[in-house]
Amino acid sequence: MFIPESFVVQVYLTANLLATVIIGLMVEHGYTREMYWAVVPFSMQVLIPVIIGYFPELRLPPHKRGFNWGLVKTNRNFFSLALLMAVGSVIMTICNLELNDDWKSLLAVAVVLSAVLCTTSLLLLPKVLGKSIVYLFLSSALYVDISPALNYFYLADDSCVPGGPHFDSTYYNIYVGIMESLAGNPPTIVHFRTRCDVDVPSSCSG
């Protein structure tokens, strides 16, 4: 089944708009912890295409179905690293929920997990691939992002930032996000609908 790229982009941008409104309202009313649980049902929707059978892979007969342990044994190092990364993500999420106010403990957990995963990548993967993964991680981890600090600058009151913008949280988290989505949706959709190139027939097929 062919799904136009413009439709996929439109669904993504619409979902981004909906998420902006939901998260903005939850933050405004102080439901920061509940945001983690609110995304669970949305994350589970990835199972819908699997259940319906939208994937192009050949469906095996019942007697041949099951977990492919042979593939795991053949690619044991890759599966081991993937499992460690998944476990690390779960641990970090739990720590964010439980140690939200203890930044030193959060930093310690993040550093330990990063060191373990980077070392494991170098030990389990081929040299070039392992070094590439470590480089990508370090380039992302060491990137200085000031946007979280700017959030405090925009939202702080006059006693904290004299002469600052003093935006209301509702305006900053919801209205600005809505305007960004509404301003970005039409141009992006038009771009994807008109970008078909004769040199890339697959982008125009359907």
Side-chain angles (χ1 to χ4, degrees):
M1 181 178 64
F2 175 75
I3 300 178
E5 288 181 274
S6 57
F7 174 77
V8 175
V9 174
Q10 185 173 357
V11 170
Y12 168 78
L13 294 175
T14 303
N16 187 53
L17 173 62
L18 179 62
T20 299
V21 175
I22 294 175
I23 293 177
L25 291 173
M26 295 185 73
V27 170
E28 181 184 1
H29 292 86
Y31 297 115
T32 52
R33 286 173 173 263
E34 286 75 7
M35 284 194 306
Y36 284 92
W37 304 112
V39 301
V40 172
F42 294 100
S43 302
M44 296 298 291
Q45 67 179 331
V46 71
L47 297 175
I48 296 177
V50 179
I51 297 173
I52 297 178
Y54 278 177
F55 288 97
E57 287 82 1
L58 178 65
R59 189 173 180 83
L60 298 174
H63 66 280
K64 290 187 177 181
R65 297 175 192 169
F67 197 82
N68 192 344
W69 289 105
L71 187 62
V72 175
K73 293 179 180 179
T74 305
N75 303 276
R76 182 176 303 172
N77 289 349
F78 289 96
F79 276 92
S80 299
L81 181 60
L83 179 61
L84 285 175
M85 287 184 174
V87 172
S89 299
V90 173
I91 293 174
M92 202 66 230
T93 301
I94 294 174
C95 289
N96 274 299
L97 290 172
E98 300 299 328
L99 305 174
N100 192 29
D101 298 325
D102 189 356
W103 68 268
K104 292 183 179 179
S105 298
L106 277 175
L107 179 61
V109 173
V111 170
V112 171
L113 287 175
S114 301
V116 170
L117 291 175
C118 287
T119 304
T120 308
S121 299
L122 294 174
L123 294 176
L124 295 182
L125 299 181
K127 183 180 296 186
V128 174
L129 183 57
K131 289 183 177 181
S132 299
I133 291 178
V134 172
Y135 166 76
L136 290 174
F137 168 77
L138 292 177
S139 64
S140 177
L142 299 177
Y143 175 74
V144 179
D145 183 12
I146 65 171
S147 56
L150 286 177
N151 291 337
Y152 292 101
F153 170 77
Y154 289 131
L155 297 173
D157 56 22
D158 194 62
S159 62
C160 182
V161 183
H166 312 314
F167 289 147
D168 179 75
S169 60
T170 303
Y171 169 81
Y172 185 70
N173 292 317
I174 300 179
Y175 297 151
V176 172
I178 291 175
M179 293 306 298
E180 287 179 351
S181 298
L182 293 179
N185 281 9
T188 306
I189 293 172
V190 170
H191 166 72
F192 272 88
R193 285 188 177 275
T194 58
R195 74 181 187 88
C196 288
D197 191 332
V198 294
D199 294 330
V200 189
S202 59
S203 65
C204 304
S205 61

